[in-house]
Amino acid sequence: KNEVEQSPQNLTAQEGEFITINCSYSVGISALHWLQQHPGGGIVSLFMLSSGKKKHGRLIATINIQEKHSSLHITASHPRDSAVYICAVFPNYGGSQGNLIFGKGTKLSVKP
Amino acid sequence: DAGVTQSPTHLIKTRGQQVTLRCSPKSGHDTVSWYQQALGQGPQFIFQYYEEEERQRGNFPDRFSGHQFPNYSSELNVNALLLGDSALYLCASSLVGTGGSETFGSGTRLTVV
């Protein structure tokens, strides 16, 4: 079982829809990243979270440390939001920080 | 302020050859991590360099080696290339002690034929 699981793997939405992508992890963490990867490969960091909720424009990320779960929400989705969204965690091994562990990503396609 | 720069962007090599990929970190960053991303998969950690030394290493064979220079830039070398080494290689930089805030490059797409 992967230490970081994302759902769904693929998501198709109509422009304007509210989108939720989920991430569950099985290790203790010091931080969680939500990343966006467009075709061609470059990765952009959207959020880094260690607790609570962050908002940037139409994007909202939440994390529940006790439940080891995070969600990424996109409000009023647009075709330019089409990309792969990746959840990645920094594991905390008894106070020693490990390196990023990535989920497999959620491929989002927003249709006009 | 330039972000993380990787070169080349695309590369085609033959099985058995050797390849060197390059990464310049974001200005002000001193730590460089390398990741391999196979098609349809999430990135996998290869290794991390800090103060010109390999600080941590993932589950990759010794064919994968690296180097960090005094200006913090880094190289990833892969010897005896296999078809399975075909992937996107991502470099990320950070500043030690900042708790995981990494900036990613656009990657180098390596195809082994």
Side-chain angles (χ1 to χ4, degrees):
Chain A
K1 187 180 187 298
N2 293 332
E3 290 168 298
V4 180
E5 296 277 358
Q6 286 186 237
S7 63
Q9 290 186 346
N10 293 281
L11 182 56
T12 300
Q14 287 298 127
E15 184 172 357
E17 285 186 1
F18 180 84
I19 288 163
T20 296
I21 300 171
N22 296 299
C23 175
S24 296
Y25 51 92
S26 57
V27 295
I29 68 168
S30 56
L32 180 145
H33 277 270
W34 279 105
L35 309 165
Q36 182 191 57
Q37 186 172 34
H38 281 280
I43 287 180
V44 174
S45 179
L46 300 174
F47 297 103
M48 189 173 78
L49 293 164
S50 54
S51 65
K53 176 180 174 178
K54 287 190 175 180
K55 184 177 189 294
H56 183 70
R58 295 181 294 106
L59 302 178
I60 303 166
T62 63
I63 188 168
N64 185 318
I65 295 293
Q66 287 74 30
E67 295 187 1
K68 292 187 166 66
H69 182 270
S70 177
S71 293
L72 176 68
H73 306 286
I74 304 175
T75 62
S77 60
H78 191 275
R80 65 175 175 266
D81 297 325
S82 299
V84 175
Y85 292 84
I86 302 172
C87 172
V89 301
F90 268 105
N92 187 340
Y93 300 123
S96 172
Q97 183 176 293
N99 288 94
L100 277 175
I101 303 173
F102 295 79
K104 292 186 176 181
T106 295
K107 185 174 182 180
L108 171 65
S109 178
V110 181
K111 306 294 186 187
Chain B
D1 177 27
V4 177
T5 304
Q6 290 188 244
S7 64
T9 54
H10 295 85
L11 198 54
I12 299 175
K13 287 286 189 178
T14 304
R15 262 185 310 176
Q17 284 189 315
Q18 179 263 347
V19 68
T20 297
L21 311 182
R22 295 177 175 83
C23 173
S24 293
K26 182 179 178 179
S27 178
H29 285 183
D30 57 10
T31 302
V32 174
S33 300
W34 287 92
Y35 300 89
Q36 181 195 64
Q37 186 179 24
L39 198 62
Q41 301 294 317
Q44 298 288 320
F45 173 71
I46 304 174
F47 43 51
Q48 184 184 78
Y49 276 84
Y50 171 67
E51 291 189 336
E52 301 180 48
E53 291 189 356
E54 184 181 289
R55 186 169 135 171
Q56 295 191 52
R57 189 179 183 94
N59 189 25
F60 278 81
D62 292 343
R63 297 187 297 110
F64 289 77
S65 63
H67 190 76
Q68 186 179 34
F69 299 94
N71 67 353
Y72 308 117
S73 67
S74 177
E75 290 181 349
L76 163 65
N77 301 293
V78 187
N79 294 322
L81 284 167
L82 303 174
L83 296 178
D85 295 331
S86 296
L88 179 71
Y89 288 85
L90 293 159
C91 170
S93 72
S94 60
L95 180 63
V96 70
T98 54
S101 180
E102 293 196 325
T103 299
F104 287 84
S106 296
T108 294
R109 174 78 61 189
L110 172 65
T111 302
V112 182
V113 297

